[in-house]
Amino acid sequence: MAESLSLFTGSEVVIVTGASSGIGAATVQRLAQKGVRKFCVTGRNEQGLCKTIDTVIREATNKPEFVTVIGDLTHTQTIEKIVEDTIKTFGKIDTLINNAGWSYGIASIFEETIEAFQKTFDLNVKAVVMLTKLCLPYLRESKGNVINISSTGSVQNYNNLSFYCMSKAALDMFTKCLATEEGKNGIRVNSVNPGFVDTGIHERCGMPRSAVDELVERCKNSHAVGRGGAPEEVANIIAFIASKEASFVTGNITMVDGGLNCYNPL
Ligand SMILES: NC(=O)c1ccc[n+]([C@@H]2O[C@H](COP(=O)([O-])OP(=O)(O)OC[C@H]3O[C@@H](n4cnc5c(N)ncnc54)[C@H](OP(=O)(O)O)[C@@H]3O)[C@@H](O)[C@H]2O)c1
């Protein structure tokens, strides 16, 4: 249901990658509740994207409009189509949310293949840089902002997820570099770094459900608040950072992790 406190005017255009599930889907929903009406949503899973759109349309009172781009972000054509279709339909871009990401492979550096390293960096780093670069001229015009969905793994290593953690560390440095370079052009750039959120990503990355259940149990000790997070708790912070309310926030690595980054396993 739409809320009375509107963070947006309704004229903003927001691109959300990986909008077909989890944090991306919750972000589209939250932004719509806060007043955003114009979205470009992307992912490979058409059914998932339709579900995201249906949920927003069912709740909305303000006639939201959607551009949908179905495709793999490691393919240049998909990235180009996202920008082309958004501009063709809406004529501008205010916020780019680089949310799509995951880990190809769960193993030690000794055991993992170099292909897994390459694929993880292609999605979590290269695709983000390419899409952001294509959006920059439009973001300069709109004095817009970029939000990169990173991870607490950017500052602490997770067992058998080294390439993923390395890619998120690179993503955070991209946030800082771009924020520094583009601040004078009116563009803000921030990372949002979730702790454990049970979105299904862990199974999709190859972890058995029993291992995910163990992780959920371990959250009672590893997260200061004694639990993992919900997609909506991350989406709330993304929506705030995307809004003008956060006009003095840039170059920030924003832990949304129930205190996981303070955890000392010793
Ligand atoms: N859940 C957590 O515990 C956690 C913790 C820290 C950080 N994060 C980060 O949060 C972000 C969202 O993850 P989530 O937990 O919400 O998981 P999720 O539900 O699996 O979402 C990942 C999204 O990325 C998209 N995606 C994956 N590979 C893609 C590709 N090659 N091309 C295009 N889209 C692709 C997926 O869309 P399709 O399947 O439609 O392609 C999906 O919508 C990720 O960047 C993840 O690293 C998650």
Side-chain angles (χ1 to χ4, degrees):
M1 206 165 76
E3 295 187 359
S4 54
L5 178 64
S6 218
L7 287 178
F8 299 92
T9 63
S11 68
E12 297 86 356
V13 176
V14 180
I15 298 175
V16 183
T17 69
S20 53
S21 57
I23 293 166
T27 298
V28 175
Q29 201 177 346
R30 193 62 180 146
L31 286 167
Q33 288 165 349
K34 290 291 183 186
V36 175
R37 289 184 45 242
K38 297 175 183 180
F39 293 96
C40 171
V41 291
T42 84
R44 295 161 303 175
N45 176 349
E46 188 170 2
Q47 227 182 342
L49 286 176
C50 288
K51 195 169 161 214
T52 302
I53 293 171
D54 286 349
T55 307
V56 170
I57 289 177
R58 224 179 309 119
E59 281 190 347
T61 51
N62 61 0
K63 293 208 178 77
E65 295 173 66
F66 291 91
V67 165
T68 306
V69 178
I70 295 150
D72 193 316
L73 276 170
T74 62
H75 301 159
T76 308
Q77 314 87 278
T78 307
I79 292 176
E80 288 172 347
K81 194 165 165 41
I82 290 169
V83 180
E84 279 165 18
D85 288 6
T86 305
I87 292 302
K88 216 186 302 160
T89 309
F90 297 130
K92 64 172 187 147
I93 299 167
D94 293 283
T95 296
L96 168 64
I97 302 177
N98 288 308
N99 166 71
W102 66 14
S103 173
Y104 289 89
I106 301 182
S108 68
I109 294 172
F110 184 85
E111 291 163 338
E112 197 48 272
T113 64
I114 210 67
E115 286 74 25
F117 167 85
Q118 186 67 58
K119 282 174 126 180
T120 302
F121 271 72
D122 279 353
L123 179 65
N124 294 0
V125 185
K126 188 178 168 197
V128 171
V129 175
M130 282 179 71
L131 179 58
T132 307
K133 266 177 76 61
L134 285 184
C135 289
L136 277 181
Y138 304 103
L139 291 167
R140 281 184 177 188
E141 270 176 39
S142 65
K143 309 250 176 282
N145 67 92
V146 179
I147 302 178
N148 295 318
I149 309 309
S150 179
S151 168
T152 43
S154 71
V155 293
Q156 56 188 177
N157 183 30
Y158 296 137
N159 201 20
N160 287 334
L161 283 170
S162 297
F163 295 153
Y164 174 80
C165 293
M166 289 160 62
S167 72
K168 295 297 191 180
L171 184 60
D172 282 354
M173 187 47 75
F174 177 59
T175 292
K176 291 184 188 187
C177 293
L178 193 66
T180 313
E181 290 182 11
E182 292 297 328
K184 290 196 176 58
N185 296 319
I187 302 177
R188 297 185 297 111
V189 188
N190 290 286
S191 281
V192 166
N193 302 46
F196 178 85
V197 185
D198 193 0
T199 56
I201 191 174
H202 305 89
E203 288 105 307
R204 283 192 281 279
C205 291
M207 207 180 263
R209 185 64 223 180
S210 55
V212 180
D213 289 340
E214 270 174 43
L215 273 180
V216 172
E217 192 55 30
R218 287 219 301 275
C219 285
K220 290 179 182 165
N221 293 318
S222 61
H223 291 58
V225 299
R227 61 171 177 84
E232 295 73 22
E233 291 178 296
V234 182
N236 286 342
I237 305 306
I238 296 171
F240 173 71
I241 291 176
S243 77
K244 294 249 174 338
E245 296 277 290
S247 52
F248 202 45
V249 179
T250 194
N252 209 39
I253 309 303
T254 317
M255 300 295 164
V256 185
D257 68 341
L260 173 62
N261 73 91
C262 313
Y263 172 62
N264 182 345
L266 288 180

